[in-house]
Every structure is written in structure tokens, then in C-alpha cells.
Amino acid sequence: MQDIALRTPQLAAWLAGTDIGLLELRTPEGTLRLGRQGDEIIELPDEEAEPELRVIHAPSVGVFLHSHPMATVPLVRIGERVEAGQAVGLLKIGPLLLPVTAPQAGIVDGVHAADGLAVGYGTPLLDLHPL
């Protein structure tokens, strides 16, 4: 970001010669936003970003289950609110059932893995929209 901060005057001069109304550069160190205010190019403050979706990954290899084998109702559904530590699925590893838990409170936004799908370590299972 420091390198970009040093080049801000150059970027502003370039932007002034175009019809572009907003320039946003994102780096791992931060975001630089330049925009027009009348005839001037100014640095704009960062917008409050919406929390990004958090993907819940498989903690081990196994068969992903949406519900307990002796139940018919899934542990969670899309749009449902979950609490940190709540089971959102199960991994069947032989006779063992390992719970897959929500890392934080949120709303289930999507399901990546079908019920009964064999998954590997780190396979995306669910999307969680943090609260």
C-alpha cells in the first residue's frame, strides 16, 4: 500500500485525463479509492464493506451428511441462523460421525456439498454470512 500511496499523485493525474468517475485499487495491505469532486480528483474514504461470506470447509476426509442417519430433518437449511459451535453437518468416517461446526454466528447462505458426497480435507461444504 505504501508503494501505491507514493503513486497517488500520478494516479490522480491519469484519472483526471479520463472519463472514469471512481478508481479503486485493492491490495493485501489495503484499498485506495480516488474519485471526482467537481474538477478535482480526491482520495475517498473506504466504504463500509459488507461482511464477506465465510466458507465452512471439511475438517477431515469422509462422507458429508446434511442430517444424522437416524433423522430426516437436515441440521441446517439455507437462510437459517446458526450460532458459533453449532453443528451444521456431519462427516461420516467409517462408523464415526464427526460434527462440522459453524466457526461463528451467521446465516447459512449456500451449500456446496450434496448429502452423501465423499469429501476430502478442506473441501468447501457451506457458505456462512457472518452476523
Side-chain angles (χ1 to χ4, degrees):
M1 191 68 187
Q2 185 179 17
D3 184 43
I4 292 175
L6 295 174
R7 295 178 186 225
T8 300
Q10 292 172 333
L11 292 170
W14 172 80
L15 189 59
T18 69
D19 291 335
I20 297 172
L22 172 69
L23 173 68
E24 183 173 282
L25 295 174
R26 294 182 185 191
T27 68
E29 292 82 29
T31 302
L32 172 69
R33 299 180 75 231
L34 298 174
R36 295 182 182 277
Q37 186 175 44
D39 291 337
E40 292 184 43
I41 303 296
I42 61 167
E43 189 170 343
L44 302 171
D46 285 341
E47 290 182 341
E48 284 295 318
E50 209 177 288
E52 292 186 19
L53 288 179
R54 181 149 185 197
V55 178
I56 300 174
H57 296 90
S60 176
V61 298
V63 175
F64 183 63
L65 302 174
H66 291 219
S67 63
H68 190 278
M70 299 186 77
T72 57
V73 179
L75 292 169
V76 295
R77 294 191 170 134
I78 294 175
E80 186 175 334
R81 180 188 170 116
V82 296
E83 298 300 323
Q86 179 179 338
V88 295
L90 298 168
L91 277 181
K92 184 175 185 205
I93 308 165
L96 177 69
L97 292 176
L98 176 70
V100 177
T101 58
Q104 67 188 78
I107 297 173
V108 177
D109 195 60
V111 178
H112 293 281
D115 189 44
L117 179 69
V119 297
Y121 172 79
T123 301
L125 302 174
L126 301 162
D127 286 332
L128 186 67
H129 187 77
L131 294 178

